[in-house]
């Protein structure tokens, strides 16, 4: 069978073949006018673009809701791939993310760095914090760099997931073997007789 061709003013705009449909320009759904994209979907409440794998009953949604845009899958992992189909980022249903390569924050990562956080101004490049407690960060500047707490919490040091073995209080007191040093340097040794 021959293709069905739709023209405007003698210029082909849309063609339907046996297994494909081809648009000569952009496609707009749900509104009139052009918005600069090849495919524009406009709807007042959560416009969605959906890709469906009917064999495996899974789908990918691309949409907008209120002030957010989103990608959403119906099942399985969401995988972002580079050219050639190589997986670069995988997100699972528990919201865990696995990067196949190095990760750069603020810049592309330096070769050999699994995580490379780059700042162009003085400040904390990485911060770890409890939602309602202590905060520890890595501070970078052109003059000095350091690791420390950001709020009024002590900085502790430990090995093998143990209790604190060394503690630096917010007032500058440092304790070894105690988490409550009462002087600039407080060493506490616990000995046991055999």
């Amino acid at each position: 069978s021959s293709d069905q061709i739709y023209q405007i003013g003698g210029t082909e705009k849309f063609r339907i073949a046996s297994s494909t449909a081809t648009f000569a320009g952009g496609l707009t759904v749900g509104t009139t006018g052009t918005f600069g994209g090849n495919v524009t979907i406009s709807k007042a409440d959560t416009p969605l673009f959906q890709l469906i794998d009917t064999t495996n009953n899974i789908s990918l949604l691309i949409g907008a809701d209120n002030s957010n845009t989103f990608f959403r899958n119906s099942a399985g992992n969401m995988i972002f791939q580079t050219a050639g189909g190589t997986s670069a980022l995988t997100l699972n249903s528990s919201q865990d993310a696995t990067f196949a390569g190095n990760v750069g924050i603020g810049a592309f990562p330096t070769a050999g760095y699994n995580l490379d956080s780059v700042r162009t101004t003085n400040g904390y490049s990485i911060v770890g914090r409890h939602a309602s407690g202590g905060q520890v960060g890595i501070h970078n500047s052109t003059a000095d760099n350091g690791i420390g707490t950001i709020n009024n919490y002590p900085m502790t040091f430990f090995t093998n997931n143990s209790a604190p073995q060394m503690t630096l209080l917010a007032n500058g007191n440092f304790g070894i073997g105690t988490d409550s040093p009462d002087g600039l340097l407080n060493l506490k040794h616990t000995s046991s007789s055999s």
Side-chain angles (χ1 to χ4, degrees):
S1 62
S2 61
D3 295 353
Q4 292 186 16
I5 300 172
Y6 298 86
Q7 299 180 342
I8 296 176
T11 302
E12 181 178 325
K13 296 296 183 180
F14 179 48
R15 176 186 294 260
I16 300 176
S18 60
S19 61
T20 62
T22 305
F23 291 86
L27 170 64
T28 302
V29 179
T31 188
T32 58
T34 58
F35 295 89
N38 291 333
V39 177
T40 300
I41 300 175
S42 179
K43 185 172 176 284
D45 183 25
T46 315
L48 297 173
F49 178 76
Q50 185 174 27
L51 302 172
I52 302 173
D53 177 348
T54 55
T55 302
N56 298 297
N57 195 29
I58 59 174
S59 65
L60 170 67
L61 294 174
I62 302 171
D65 186 5
N66 298 322
S67 59
N68 301 309
T69 55
F70 59 84
F71 292 87
R72 182 188 305 153
N73 61 336
S74 62
N77 295 333
M78 184 173 287
I79 301 172
F80 294 84
Q81 298 180 336
T82 57
T86 302
S87 295
L89 168 62
T90 301
L91 304 173
N92 67 18
S93 59
S94 299
Q95 300 179 1
D96 298 324
T98 302
F99 291 87
N102 301 327
V103 177
I105 301 172
F108 284 105
T110 303
Y113 294 1
N114 288 336
L115 176 61
D116 190 6
S117 178
V118 179
R119 291 189 58 92
T120 57
T121 59
N122 298 345
Y124 291 94
S125 56
I126 297 177
V127 174
R129 65 185 181 91
H130 186 279
S132 59
Q135 302 174 12
V136 63
I138 299 176
H139 188 275
N140 302 108
S141 73
T142 56
D144 57 8
N145 299 282
I147 300 174
T149 59
I150 299 172
N151 52 4
N152 192 21
Y153 279 77
M155 179 82 171
T156 62
F157 303 87
F158 53 87
T159 59
N160 199 26
N161 200 31
S162 68
Q165 296 165 316
M166 297 186 297
T167 301
L168 176 62
L169 299 182
N171 64 7
N173 290 352
F174 188 73
I176 300 175
T178 178
D179 59 8
S180 55
D182 55 10
L184 284 177
L185 179 60
N186 190 178
L187 283 77
K188 183 178 180 181
H189 176 67
T190 303
S191 59
S192 58
S193 57
S194 55

